[in-house]
Amino acid sequence: MTLSMMKTIISSSPFLRSGLSTPRIMWEVVITLVPVVGMAAWVFGISALLMTLVCVLACWMAERIFLPPAPGASVLGDGSAVITGILLALCLPPGFPFWMAFLGGFVAIALGKAMWGGLGHNVFNPALLGRAFLQAAFPGAITTWSAPATSFFALRGSNLALPFLKGESVDAMTGATPLSAMKFTHQAADWQDLLIGQVSGSLGETSGGLFLLLGLYLAWRGLINWRIPVGMIATVGLFSGILYWIDPAHYAPPQFMILAGGLMLGAVYMATDLVSSPLTHKGIWIYAVGIGILVVMIRVWGGLPEGVMYAILLMNAVTPLINRALPTRVYGHASPTS
Amino acid sequence: MAQELLWIFISALLINNFTLAYFLGICPFLGVSNKLDTALRLGLANIFVMIITAVAAWALNTFVLIYAPYLRLISFIIVIASTVQFVEMAIKKWSPELFKALGIFLPLITTNCAILGLALFATNKGYGLIEGIVYALGAGGGVTLALILMAGIREETRVLDIPDVVKGTALSLIVAGILSMAFMGFAGMFSAA
């Protein structure tokens, strides 16, 4: 056998691949979001579907403009912008004007992702960044909640408001969310209602049970790090449980705190963002527990009824410091902690 | 009393964060936040100067300015700057390690707007000596927190593929804005309780 017959393939690491590519992961997550959007449509009607469509379109357009795809790549991109769009829509109230939602989606990708250099580089979760931007820019519109729809095709009052014009159509039917009812009148909703999802709130703040199932599925598939939702939910349960134990008349019971609002959505889909969460398991635990503590602090003592978004954004900001304090082991080197 | 002091501390640390809610002390926040180590030292120098400021402002208010209230602004600036210079000399003589750790930041920080802001806010709120010192600790801690968060993110951005248009000051300003948005979550905290 001569040397020339030997076939030598030169390639760099990694040599073993899991078969999971980025678009594959992203589209699989998108598929798990379909039942969530379906649930929102069931509770809030056609507004929920249109809102999702508007947000996804805005994110996709921003992605095309700021991060143009390589020639020959899929027109839809790698799917991460679609996830951002759906997640942003899930944090918006059903009666939110579509033009504001569009702006939010655009900002989410432009400032949340493109500015940092694209997928895999963002320090903050893009969808939450878009939501925080909308909260700062339109604090009134984003806290106007509509009660679940009476008919499927009934559009919410201010959905079609025009930009920069004072919309004369004010949504007459508003229903307080479970969290704002708790905050301002000290009425805790039944946890069974929260589990099934027949409550007012943002599009993705309905059924806690659905997110539980999806979270289990995603964790089983290895698409999210189970430590994040487990750490977050356990911390919120423990912290609010202690407060409830001290003074049940003043504080909400822990099962309410876990199921109400965006905690389940945040724990399963937002905090688990692969890019903006810490690298090591130890870091992940710190991150998750930090989010849980901040959520309870903002909900119980803060001026706003809901704090999941701010809690995750704040811990996103801390993540670089966590990664610095707990560096990953460099392959072939000794563990940095030993 | 202890609860009130805790409230003053947390309020200055998070809710009314000097950098991210009041936008004071932006120049060191943008200028010296590219390395975590220097950011931390600047933050410590800030806490240090703020405590001296609180004491000096209290002394001026109690003993001097009751006779000449119109001198408040100018006397704050002069007295604080000179006191810090004096303390710096004292540290240089007695604790060279501390002097080395605080370094150039000590004189740099004295004429910062956050320092004057602290003196004026503490005066407006009618804080006594102990309240003023706790307020300074909270405010300095808040500035330090903002600085190290910013430095952490900016160190991270060095390995990222940041587009040329946002590189540098633009990125810092946008990150500062995002951090400020995240800190809005603390707005109104404890006000209902």
Side-chain angles (χ1 to χ4, degrees):
Chain A
M1 190 164 84
T2 59
L3 197 64
S4 59
M5 284 172 71
M6 281 172 62
K7 197 170 178 192
T8 311
I9 298 170
I10 299 170
S11 74
S12 85
S13 64
F15 305 110
L16 294 172
R17 288 163 196 276
S18 68
L20 274 178
S21 60
T22 302
R24 174 78 207 255
I25 293 175
M26 294 301 171
W27 289 114
E28 221 168 292
V29 175
V30 170
I31 290 167
T32 66
L33 281 166
V34 169
V36 181
V37 175
M39 184 74 199
W42 168 257
V43 178
F44 298 109
I46 189 96
S47 285
L49 292 179
L50 290 174
M51 185 82 71
T52 311
L53 199 68
V54 167
C55 288
V56 170
L57 195 71
C59 289
W60 177 76
M61 276 177 62
E63 177 111 337
R64 291 283 294 188
I65 293 171
F66 294 115
L67 302 161
S74 159
V75 189
L76 284 170
D78 54 24
S80 62
V82 178
I83 296 184
T84 301
I86 298 176
L87 289 181
L88 175 66
L90 289 177
C91 339
L92 296 174
F96 198 63
F98 288 143
W99 73 270
M100 294 181 188
F102 188 87
L103 193 65
F106 206 83
V107 167
I109 292 293
L111 290 191
K113 195 166 130 192
M115 187 193 87
W116 303 91
L119 181 68
H121 294 245
N122 47 304
V123 170
F124 295 93
N125 182 312
L128 286 176
L129 193 66
R131 173 66 166 73
F133 166 78
L134 289 175
Q135 173 94 47
F138 312 109
I142 209 158
T143 43
T144 306
W145 311 97
S146 328
T150 42
S151 104
F152 181 80
F153 290 103
L155 266 184
R156 292 322 172 88
S158 40
N159 270 169
L160 298 177
L162 289 170
F164 311 117
L165 292 176
K166 207 95 180 129
E168 76 264 42
S169 54
V170 178
D171 197 349
M173 204 176 54
T174 57
T177 66
L179 274 172
S180 56
M182 181 68 215
K183 177 131 219 148
F184 302 118
T185 58
H186 285 290
Q187 287 169 322
D190 262 355
W191 67 272
Q192 287 96 335
D193 283 349
L194 294 170
L195 196 66
I196 301 164
Q198 288 294 343
V199 286
S200 174
S202 295
L203 299 181
E205 289 188 348
T206 52
S207 171
L210 181 63
F211 282 112
L212 212 58
L213 292 176
L214 291 170
L216 286 174
Y217 171 77
L218 287 169
W220 170 71
R221 288 282 296 131
L223 297 175
I224 60 173
N225 191 328
W226 60 269
R227 290 167 187 84
I228 296 175
V230 168
M232 263 175 79
I233 292 168
T235 308
V236 169
L238 199 69
F239 193 1
S240 60
I242 293 171
L243 290 175
Y244 184 62
W245 180 69
I246 293 171
D247 184 5
H250 194 255
Y251 298 111
Q255 69 269 27
F256 170 82
M257 288 292 266
I258 290 172
L259 290 172
L263 183 75
M264 297 299 284
L265 171 69
V268 174
Y269 284 102
M270 312 267 198
T272 51
D273 184 354
L274 297 166
V275 188
S276 53
S277 51
L279 299 169
T280 56
H281 289 333
K282 216 190 272 176
I284 290 271
W285 284 118
I286 297 173
Y287 170 81
V289 170
I291 294 175
I293 292 173
L294 283 170
V295 167
V296 178
M297 273 177 67
I298 294 174
R299 277 186 184 176
V300 173
W301 294 299
L304 301 160
E306 176 61 304
V308 174
M309 163 182 79
Y310 288 120
I312 297 176
L313 281 176
L314 286 165
M315 287 313 283
N316 281 166
V318 180
T319 298
L321 296 177
I322 298 178
N323 282 340
R324 250 184 87 100
L326 300 167
T328 49
R329 195 173 74 93
V330 178
Y331 188 67
H333 287 255
S335 166
T337 48
S338 63
Chain B
M1 182 68 183
Q3 204 177 354
E4 200 183 319
L5 289 181
L6 184 72
W7 190 86
I8 290 175
F9 179 77
I10 293 184
S11 162
L13 181 73
L14 298 175
I15 306 160
N16 297 317
N17 188 295
F18 266 48
T19 309
L20 296 173
Y22 287 165
F23 309 115
L24 293 172
I26 293 296
C27 21
F29 180 61
L30 295 176
V32 201
S33 61
N34 46 5
K35 274 178 77 183
L36 194 58
D37 179 52
T38 47
L40 188 64
R41 283 202 268 166
L42 180 76
L44 291 180
N46 221 317
I47 297 177
F48 190 79
V49 175
M50 278 185 166
I51 291 172
I52 294 174
T53 304
V55 177
W58 172 80
L60 275 173
N61 277 328
T62 328
F63 302 117
V64 182
L65 292 175
I66 37 171
Y67 306 111
Y70 51 86
L71 284 179
R72 175 163 294 144
L73 210 55
I74 192 131
S75 60
F76 273 173
I77 296 172
I78 294 173
V79 172
I80 292 165
S82 49
T83 313
V84 172
Q85 292 300 314
F86 180 72
V87 171
E88 193 198 359
M89 284 183 241
I91 294 178
K92 196 174 182 180
K93 178 153 172 57
W94 286 311
S95 172
E97 293 84 34
L98 185 64
F99 180 78
K100 248 175 101 179
L102 298 178
I104 184 76
F105 301 120
L106 211 50
L108 265 186
I109 213 76
T110 40
T111 46
N112 195 273
C113 50
I115 305 298
L116 183 63
L118 180 98
L120 292 174
F121 284 140
T123 309
N124 274 357
K125 291 177 183 185
Y127 285 160
L129 180 61
I130 302 189
E131 287 158 324
I133 292 175
V134 172
Y135 186 57
L137 272 175
V143 171
T144 312
L145 183 70
L147 269 167
I148 58 172
L149 285 179
M150 184 74 170
I153 293 171
R154 282 184 66 179
E155 286 207 342
E156 182 109 339
T157 59
R158 224 173 291 148
V159 295
L160 301 182
D161 199 7
I162 306 283
D164 286 338
V165 276
V166 282
K167 243 178 207 162
T169 316
L171 182 79
S172 310
L173 283 169
I174 297 173
V175 173
I178 295 172
L179 277 178
S180 180
M181 281 205 295
F183 265 70
M184 279 175 69
F186 293 117
M189 202 177 247
F190 297 108
S191 58

